[in-house]
Amino acid sequence: MISSRRITPTSTYLPRAMLIAVSAFCVSCDLLGGAFDHEPKDLENEISAVAHSLVDQAFEGIQGDALRDYHVHMLGMNTAENGTWVNEEWQSPWSGFLHFFQFEIYKSAAGVTDEQQADAQYLARLKNLIQFMPERGKFGIMAFDFFHDEQGQPNRELSTFHVPNKYVLTLARKYPEIFFPIISIHPYRQDATTALRHYAQQGVRFVKWLPNAMGIDPASNTMQDKLLPYYRIMKEYDMVLISHTGVEVAAEAEEHQRFGNPLLLKKPLDIGVKVVMTHVASLGECEKEERPICSPGTPYIDLAIRMLEDPKYAGLVFADISALTQYNRHHNLDKILEKPSIHSRLINGSDYPLPAINIVIRTRSLVSSGHINPEERDALNEIYDYNPLLFDFVLKRTLRHSKTGTRFPSSVFVQHPDLTTN
Ligand SMILES: [Zn+2]
């Protein structure tokens, strides 16, 4: 294993330049992906006393099944049986090395060794990680819709992967003690409102969008006929829109990066829909062509923080802290930690499997930035080797503002009273 690294998986995706560099010598993608040496079940008996006490401290105030993770991806390649799908381009080295290596790294991180059984192996690994958390809580498992054009037609070529709503709902019903469902319905779909109402009536509360990758402009003027009825149904059933904010690095999103501007989510908010901005919009900034709504050069995260502080959106707008520990985002941690006024609007998300990707989480750089100390780093690296999902949680509980020492309060890691999961 590469013990010098330790990048925490942050919700997102591997930076392109890094992947190019990496793919050039990707002798073993396992080192960059999973790089786990141990089984989750052995953690309890094998980790050091220091690591044990870090885990215990992390669970202070978060006992029983109180823990909540509002951001867990599902994956599979079993189109025939449950509709899970991954773009063929990502599966073959001949159609694009970059995607191929990225995919190899994801598979390794998620414990998938046999593509024929990717869905089953992915699920088994996730359940195994959860089962051996000292306290389990509940994990929101996400469906993921296709890219759709403005005519409402799905486009597989522009989609990275697909996870059907039915699949996550079936799993959430089968394992209600650990999972709750997060569906994904593209609003331009011809059956969008019918499907949305169908799931709302079955008690589903959470809806995931990745606007940059799915081709959704949450504030589009030309698509108002589709968006407004959709938002009204969400409001009617008190549903929650969990929408990616900021530039997207993990899935294909080149042409639609500006759809990650958090200001576009004012559209559903103004109608009264609850919105979770994932990653607190921690990558990217306002570009020239966005001048009508923001001044160029303003980091998206600043726009997101202003929305969280806006009394107009109290009780409506929230943000998840997934991926903030990733090496390309953690410079933003202080900005969020030093604003206690927004802490009651934050919720926990792991963006699993990203925390299990060895190269995106670098505990060494979190020591350099003053967010953890070297002793904590050693203990966290130890935990990672047994259970990357637990590692993600303990890291977020341990890290603190580089100057003031402020930590995320325990309220971030439990069920939010406005975003109840059952
Ligand atoms: Zn995600």
Side-chain angles (χ1 to χ4, degrees):
M1 77 162 226
I2 325 172
S3 59
S4 56
R5 50 52 186 168
R6 192 40 52 71
I7 308 150
T8 291
T10 359
S11 92
T12 323
Y13 316 96
L14 301 177
R16 212 138 271 237
M18 166 183 277
L19 279 167
I20 292 168
V22 152
S23 59
F25 55 92
C26 192
V27 181
S28 170
C29 289
D30 285 346
L31 290 179
L32 304 166
F36 323 111
D37 299 334
H38 302 281
E39 288 298 316
K41 68 175 166 54
D42 296 326
L43 176 135
E44 177 66 24
N45 294 321
E46 293 183 4
I47 57 170
S48 65
V50 181
H52 255 299
S53 73
L54 209 60
V55 172
D56 290 347
Q57 282 168 34
F59 278 101
E60 262 167 41
I62 309 172
Q63 260 93 50
D65 71 346
L67 176 67
R68 288 294 178 277
D69 181 339
Y70 287 86
H71 195 147
V72 173
H73 288 281
M74 295 308 292
L75 263 167
M77 302 167 70
N78 195 345
T79 315
E81 203 139 297
N82 52 40
T84 52
W85 172 88
V86 172
N87 193 321
E88 292 75 18
E89 198 194 311
W90 287 60
Q91 299 172 38
S92 157
W94 312 118
S95 54
F97 272 107
L98 209 53
H99 283 161
F100 175 69
F101 282 109
Q102 197 167 353
F103 186 54
E104 290 298 303
I105 289 167
Y106 287 159
K107 280 195 301 184
S108 157
V112 172
T113 53
D114 175 0
E115 291 187 2
Q116 304 299 315
Q117 302 181 53
D119 54 338
Q121 289 187 334
Y122 186 97
L123 174 65
R125 170 71 176 165
L126 175 61
K127 281 171 53 202
N128 192 23
L129 295 173
I130 294 171
Q131 183 186 349
F132 291 102
M133 303 263 293
E135 312 271 355
R136 286 173 212 165
K138 289 195 183 176
F139 297 76
I141 49 172
M142 289 176 159
F144 203 85
D145 209 347
F146 288 111
F147 178 100
H148 284 66
D149 61 25
E150 294 196 344
Q151 284 67 51
Q153 296 304 316
N155 184 326
R156 288 182 181 233
E157 270 169 41
L158 294 178
S159 303
T160 306
F161 66 105
H162 180 244
V163 179
N165 296 322
K166 219 175 143 191
Y167 179 58
V168 299
L169 201 61
T170 304
L171 291 176
R173 284 185 175 155
K174 193 166 174 193
Y175 308 104
E177 67 291 350
I178 51 169
F179 293 148
F180 63 93
I182 300 175
I183 55 165
S184 181
I185 296 170
H186 197 297
Y188 304 170
R189 248 165 71 169
Q190 318 227 331
D191 68 339
T193 49
T194 319
L196 186 63
R197 197 181 285 279
H198 166 79
Y199 285 104
Q201 287 172 345
Q202 294 189 55
V204 176
R205 259 204 106 180
F206 299 93
V207 180
K208 161 78 171 180
W209 285 0
L210 206 167
N212 324 32
M214 294 175 178
I216 303 169
D217 176 354
S220 168
N221 278 328
T222 52
M223 298 307 291
Q224 288 222 33
D225 290 354
K226 285 294 197 177
L227 291 167
L228 297 183
Y230 191 103
Y231 292 145
R232 284 191 203 109
I233 292 173
M234 291 200 73
K235 159 107 172 106
E236 182 186 340
Y237 288 92
D238 194 22
M239 295 176 98
V240 181
L241 178 59
I242 300 180
S243 194
H244 176 95
T245 52
V247 165
E248 161 66 23
V249 225
E252 237 1 62
E254 295 300 323
E255 286 166 35
H256 302 97
Q257 291 294 7
R258 67 168 197 89
F259 292 167
N261 186 329
L263 294 176
L264 302 178
L265 294 168
K266 286 189 171 185
K267 195 79 182 179
L269 285 167
D270 287 337
I271 291 173
V273 176
K274 287 180 182 167
V275 172
V276 175
M277 304 181 286
T278 70
H279 327 308
V280 205
S282 52
L283 277 184
E285 59 181 39
C286 184
E287 301 287 343
K288 270 193 232 97
E289 58 270 31
E290 295 170 279
R291 200 186 293 275
I293 57 169
C294 51
S295 48
T298 310
Y300 282 154
I301 188 173
D302 292 358
L303 303 174
I305 290 175
R306 267 178 239 160
M307 288 166 69
L308 290 165
E309 288 177 314
D310 189 341
K312 186 177 163 194
Y313 298 128
L316 285 179
V317 73
F318 307 88
D320 87 19
I321 60 167
S322 65
L324 286 170
T325 46
Q326 279 174 336
Y327 81 97
N328 55 337
R329 294 171 186 264
H330 71 65
H331 59 280
N332 284 311
L333 280 168
D334 282 356
K335 238 181 208 182
I336 298 165
L337 288 164
E338 66 200 19
K339 290 259 181 193
S341 62
I342 65 168
H343 291 181
S344 63
R345 312 285 201 86
L346 301 178
I347 56 172
N348 176 44
S350 62
D351 211 349
Y352 182 83
L354 289 171
I357 297 176
N358 203 17
I359 51 164
V360 285
I361 299 157
R362 297 180 194 156
T363 46
R364 185 191 294 274
S365 74
L366 285 161
V367 172
S368 313
S369 61
H371 292 104
I372 57 173
N373 66 39
E375 194 183 41
E376 290 162 343
R377 175 188 176 225
D378 291 343
L380 286 161
N381 285 354
E382 237 186 282
I383 296 165
Y384 175 90
D385 287 332
Y386 289 86
N387 192 331
L389 191 58
L390 178 64
F391 160 83
D392 178 70
F393 166 71
V394 177
L395 171 59
K396 285 169 178 156
R397 289 290 282 148
T398 304
L399 63 85
R400 55 202 167 264
H401 189 283
S402 61
K403 302 202 173 57
T404 65
T406 305
R407 288 188 160 94
F408 288 119
S410 58
S411 61
V412 172
F413 301 87
V414 302
Q415 172 161 273
H416 193 287
D418 292 326
L419 308 171
T420 51
T421 57
N422 40 14

